[in-house]
């Protein structure tokens, strides 16, 4: 719709329309290279509602992913609905929303949950809602 374009790239319609690969690419753009420097992790993502599976790899300050194949040596595996991921990304604080979703049982985690928190801490928060003229 025409008003979705005016909402910017982080509008709810845009987030929900993103494929998972596009979504991980977006995270790759948000990744702060300085914070990610020297960090390494592999996180498996299993989406219960779409049947998709991905291995997300952080290495050399870059995020890459493999579809349809989970990594045997993953630091953590997340099992969740795609709709839960959308809700987290639309939250003003994705890190807190993520923790809340785990607490509520919407996300099952096996392995090292701290790795996921570390990944969120490396993502810069961009928003299209900012004041051009600072006071």
């Amino acid at each position: 719709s025409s008003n979705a374009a005016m909402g910017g790239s982080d509008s709810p319609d845009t987030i929900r329309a993103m494929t998972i690969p596009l979504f991980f690419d977006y995270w790759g753009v948000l990744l702060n290279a300085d914070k990610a420097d020297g960090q390494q992790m592999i996180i498996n993502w299993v989406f219960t509602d779409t049947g998709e599976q991905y291995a997300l790899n952080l290495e050399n300050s870059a995020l890459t992913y493999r579809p349809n194949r989970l990594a045997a040596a993953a630091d953590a595996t997340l099992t969740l609905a795609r709709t839960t991921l959308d809700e987290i990304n639309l939250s003003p604080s994705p890190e807190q929303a993520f923790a809340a979703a785990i607490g509520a049982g919407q996300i099952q985690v096996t392995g090292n949950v701290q790795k996921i928190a570390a990944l969120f801490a490396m993502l810069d928060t961009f928003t299209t809602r900012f004041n051009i003229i600072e006071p």
Side-chain angles (χ1 to χ4, degrees):
S1 68
S2 59
N3 65 350
M6 291 168 55
S9 60
D10 59 353
S11 74
D13 290 341
T14 304
I15 296 284
R16 290 189 189 101
M18 288 171 93
T19 62
I20 298 293
L22 192 61
F23 187 76
F24 287 149
D25 288 341
Y26 177 61
W27 274 7
V29 170
L30 296 181
L31 186 70
N32 182 310
D34 292 336
K35 290 180 185 173
D37 188 42
Q39 300 284 337
Q40 195 173 346
M41 70 178 72
I42 300 171
I43 300 174
N44 286 332
W45 296 77
V46 178
F47 294 96
T48 54
D49 50 353
T50 63
E52 292 173 275
Q53 297 185 340
Y54 295 88
L56 185 69
N57 184 42
L58 171 67
E59 197 172 9
N60 301 321
S61 295
L63 275 180
T64 57
Y65 53 85
R66 258 195 345 239
N68 307 319
R69 202 162 89 220
L70 299 179
D75 294 293
T77 297
L78 303 180
T79 304
L80 69 160
R82 164 64 201 264
T83 52
T84 301
L85 185 62
D86 290 341
E87 287 168 27
I88 290 166
N89 283 299
L90 291 168
S91 159
S93 173
E95 233 173 317
Q96 289 178 349
F98 197 85
I102 292 172
Q106 292 175 293
I107 302 176
Q108 279 75 50
V109 180
T110 55
N112 185 354
V113 71
Q114 294 304 319
K115 287 285 188 178
I116 298 128
L119 175 63
F120 274 108
M122 289 178 233
L123 299 179
D124 286 329
T125 307
F126 289 146
T127 179
T128 55
R129 300 175 193 90
F130 57 87
N131 295 322
I132 293 173
I133 300 170
E134 294 291 319

